[in-house]
Amino acid sequence: MSSGPSLQHYENEKAKKVAIVGAGLVGALNACFFAKRGFQVEVYEARKDIRTAKDVRGRSINLALSYRGRQALKAVGMEDQVVFKGIPMNARMIHSLSGRKSSLPYGKKGQYILSVDRANLNRELLNAASEYPNVKLNFEEKLQHYSLEKGSLTFIRPEGSFEVSHDLVVGCDGAFSTVRRQFMRQPRFDYSHVYIPHGYKELTMPPRNGDFAMEPNFLHIWPRNTFMMIALPNLDKSFTCTLFMPFEDFEKLTTGDEVLQFFKKYFPDSIPLIGIESLKQDYFRLPAQAMISVKCSTYHIGAKCVLMGDAAHAVVPFYGQGMNAGFEDCIVFDELMDQLHNDLSKCLPEFTRLRVPDDHAIGDLAMYNYVEMRERVNSKWFIFRKYVDTFLHFCMPKTIVPLYTMVTFSRIRYHEVIKQHKWQCKVINSILFVMGVSATITGAVLLFHYLPKSPHLLVLQNWNYSFK
Ligand code: FAD
Ligand code: EGU
């Protein structure tokens, strides 16, 4: 038994008790990692069990899963099962204003990302966690307060509140983490968060004649500078379209007809696919959702508490990496536990030391991409940039690797990805410079050889005129 539930230390009286706060994607995955190590795991989730709850209303319906996330799933034996229910996206499909579509592959044949259903992924992770006998899942129990001094967690549930204590608290309670509040009281703890001016709304594009309304194995993108829409495929042959736009523009559209006019102007090809009536209705079902970027200077307190996932580092979704980075947190921590023989007093500080620079790096990359997309990316620019990247990679496959490739298809540390990218930019600039210089020299030589013969007189004539 290597990948299934195995219990190395469970029988051990001294099995440490770990509380995982939040049973979202990262919390549920972490439950598997800690259970595999033989900890006595207790998971506390504020919401109802999504495996049995009727109305599942989460954030975004589907997500792009890439290499980092897959490696973490693999480590708990869940990769195949998740990949099986994912839809491969081998390329982007860029929709221009005129309705022209261009496909831009992510890489070679085997290089694709997967569109996965958030709720289903969460369910499967919870099922996997619940198969370990040393995991207990608790729902509708919301952390109200975490007292460092007492080492106690206070939860509220429908029947009232209660208090528990554990050896380790793992905060996986998302971007608005309650566990994180204790960090604010630590000396020298830096924290920042930023809301971007854009919000998002999700719209469903239903199947057409029983099949996908657009090509299924693509991430569809409608880049329109300040507005952008993207669509990811679902297993039921629908697409989930996400419209990103400044809040103030969302607020300008107050009637169904205004929405329709807006779509006619910017996303005309999507209207018949979404359907006029559902477009008019879907748009007003929910208010536009906000996006936040969160940074912390430390992810741990002593040997007692550690933050992972969005609780530690919410990022804007413009690299499709939030969940992937959160899953990578789990695997990095697990690798450290191996190297440091489960010694929490060493693992926690080491986790902060290793992971903070990388999570900050992906936060910056995502924010940078947000700024770039909103400032100058229309479909022509997007296509042009990807061609340049692909061309340079083709010329120097070892030296020049596109940024998104390192982010999406490798486990190169995010901060190394930035370093590497900066270095590549220097190389490209040097090459351009050398080419520019040689072109200038060549030009000058040619001028020197050929110009004096015929145009020489012309020049002289001009001079003659101008001196008159
Ligand atoms: P969450 O998913 O937020 O889970 C936190 C859990 O903690 C929730 O279940 C919550 O109920 C629970 N909780 C909160 N407070 C308490 C409390 N006090 N007590 C008990 N429980 C509590 N990432 C990708 O990798 N690829 C993508 O394509 C992608 N697309 C995205 C698109 C959008 C529009 C957005 C907004 C995000 C996207 N992300 C994507 C990011 C991804 O959604 C997050 O990074 C991921 O959900 C983080 O998981 P988490 O478990 O850390 O947090
Ligand atoms: C945003 C929202 C295309 C899911 C970044 C690419 C995203 C996703 C891109 C969302 C874009 C943007 C990349 C992937 C991915 C691209 C990427 C963005 C999935 C640079 C469900 N982004 N996303 N980059 O290259 O590396 O295709 O909500 F439009 S997957 Cl913004 Cl690879």
Side-chain angles (χ1 to χ4, degrees):
M1 294 232 297
S2 60
S3 61
S6 75
L7 296 174
Q8 292 129 354
H9 320 277
Y10 180 59
E11 308 297 337
N12 186 340
E13 286 289 301
K14 285 180 287 184
K16 286 214 163 130
K17 281 183 12 181
V18 46
I20 295 178
V21 183
L25 298 175
V26 174
L29 177 66
N30 241 341
C32 298
F33 271 108
F34 281 98
K36 231 167 115 70
R37 285 203 169 268
F39 282 84
Q40 223 176 303
V41 181
E42 192 104 28
V43 182
Y44 302 92
E45 164 60 46
R47 288 184 292 195
K48 289 194 169 127
D49 188 344
I50 61 157
R51 296 170 300 172
T52 47
K54 280 208 194 90
D55 58 307
V56 196
R57 166 89 41 89
R59 259 181 319 165
S60 77
I61 294 148
N62 50 24
L63 305 137
L65 172 69
S66 52
Y67 186 70
R68 294 172 203 265
R70 284 182 64 165
Q71 287 300 105
L73 291 168
K74 189 175 176 180
V76 295
M78 292 203 56
E79 187 186 18
D80 295 344
Q81 150 187 12
V82 173
V83 170
F84 180 72
K85 291 233 175 131
I87 301 174
M89 299 184 286
N90 299 290
R92 317 126 174 120
M93 186 70 88
I94 311 300
H95 296 242
S96 74
L97 198 53
S98 66
R100 236 181 75 100
K101 291 191 274 187
S102 328
S103 145
L104 300 165
Y106 279 114
K108 302 193 183 68
K109 264 260 151 59
Q111 279 186 322
Y112 55 83
I113 53 177
L114 288 156
S115 172
V116 297
D117 181 291
R118 178 194 292 273
N120 182 62
L121 177 58
N122 209 162
R123 270 184 221 113
E124 297 203 23
L125 287 168
L126 286 172
N127 278 337
S130 69
E131 274 173 35
Y132 293 89
N134 49 334
V135 170
K136 183 156 184 285
L137 302 174
N138 307 284
F139 296 95
E140 293 181 84
E141 297 187 355
K142 181 174 182 172
L143 180 69
Q144 189 179 29
H145 181 64
Y146 169 37
S147 161
L148 263 178
E149 291 77 18
K150 290 198 285 175
S152 66
L153 298 163
T154 310
F155 290 93
I156 4 179
R157 58 177 162 191
E159 312 92 80
S161 69
F162 66 99
E163 230 179 79
V164 289
S165 33
H166 291 265
D167 298 299
L168 176 67
V169 174
V170 186
C172 303
D173 48 347
F176 307 97
S177 171
T178 304
V179 176
R180 196 173 60 218
R181 281 197 215 137
Q182 285 308 301
F183 283 68
M184 308 288 183
R185 302 170 54 227
Q186 298 296 302
R188 300 182 57 216
F189 178 71
D190 281 334
Y191 168 83
S192 75
H193 79 214
V194 187
Y195 281 98
I196 57 174
H198 276 59
Y200 70 90
K201 261 187 207 258
E202 289 177 312
L203 303 163
T204 304
M205 184 184 287
R208 211 167 50 158
N209 307 324
D211 206 355
F212 285 102
M214 307 182 292
E215 302 78 353
N217 296 109
F218 293 85
L219 184 121
H220 292 265
I221 311 175
W222 292 255
R224 303 285 185 268
N225 297 75
T226 48
F227 318 125
M228 176 173 80
M229 190 162 73
I230 65 164
L232 273 68
N234 298 309
L235 267 189
D236 67 1
K237 303 196 171 177
S238 65
F239 281 90
T240 304
C241 306
T242 312
L243 171 63
F244 295 92
M245 181 157 86
F247 273 99
E248 51 183 71
D249 294 308
F250 272 119
E251 281 149 20
K252 280 184 198 145
L253 304 178
T254 53
T255 66
D257 285 326
E258 282 169 353
V259 174
L260 191 59
Q261 285 314 311
F262 173 81
F263 268 73
K264 273 192 182 150
K265 190 160 176 202
Y266 294 105
F267 310 107
D269 61 334
S270 75
I271 299 174
L273 306 179
I274 297 174
I276 294 179
E277 284 315 309
S278 25
L279 178 60
K280 286 180 175 178
Q281 281 169 16
D282 267 22
Y283 186 91
F284 296 103
R285 246 185 8 160
L286 283 173
Q289 305 291 300
M291 285 168 280
I292 192 172
S293 180
V294 170
K295 277 187 186 173
C296 297
S297 60
T298 301
Y299 295 164
H300 76 288
I301 300 174
K304 280 191 192 150
C305 179
V306 61
L307 298 175
M308 295 193 206
D310 278 16
H313 51 76
V315 303
V316 292
F318 299 95
Y319 242 106
Q321 284 292 310
M323 163 191 64
N324 286 287
F327 281 7
E328 198 177 42
D329 289 346
C330 303
I331 200 172
V332 165
F333 191 86
D334 192 63
E335 286 163 356
L336 283 175
M337 290 288 272
D338 268 344
Q339 286 162 26
L340 302 170
H341 313 292
N342 296 334
D343 184 343
L344 292 176
S345 67
K346 287 185 182 149
C347 266
L348 268 58
E350 194 58 12
F351 180 71
T352 286
R353 198 185 67 78
L354 267 181
R355 203 54 191 161
V356 169
D358 289 330
D359 289 328
H360 285 196
I362 190 60
D364 292 345
L365 281 171
M367 190 61 86
Y368 182 83
N369 207 40
Y370 161 66
V371 172
E372 166 149 318
M373 296 286 292
R374 121 192 127 179
E375 280 179 357
R376 45 173 175 270
V377 179
N378 54 27
S379 50
K380 279 210 179 94
W381 177 254
F382 193 100
I383 294 165
F384 173 72
R385 282 296 296 270
K386 293 301 165 204
Y387 273 136
V388 172
D389 279 4
T390 311
F391 175 73
L392 288 169
H393 179 57
F394 176 79
C395 295
M396 296 169 280
K398 288 265 160 63
T399 320
I400 310 284
V401 181
L403 185 54
Y404 80 87
T405 306
M406 294 188 280
V407 168
T408 309
F409 297 113
S410 86
R411 266 202 66 198
I412 301 173
R413 293 183 57 188
Y414 288 126
H415 88 272
E416 299 279 2
V417 167
I418 293 188
K419 270 197 208 165
Q420 177 72 18
H421 178 69
K422 284 186 179 160
W423 180 81
Q424 289 181 12
C425 287
K426 270 193 193 162
V427 171
I428 293 168
N429 282 338
S430 318
I431 292 172
L432 288 178
F433 180 75
V434 169
M435 277 164 57
V437 169
S438 28
T440 310
I441 292 172
T442 313
V445 167
L446 288 178
L447 258 169
F448 197 75
H449 276 276
Y450 296 107
L451 264 186
K453 287 177 188 159
S454 52
H456 191 64
L457 280 174
L458 277 174
V459 173
L460 276 178
Q461 274 177 359
N462 272 341
W463 277 22
N464 287 341
Y465 285 124
S466 60
F467 278 122
K468 262 185 186 165

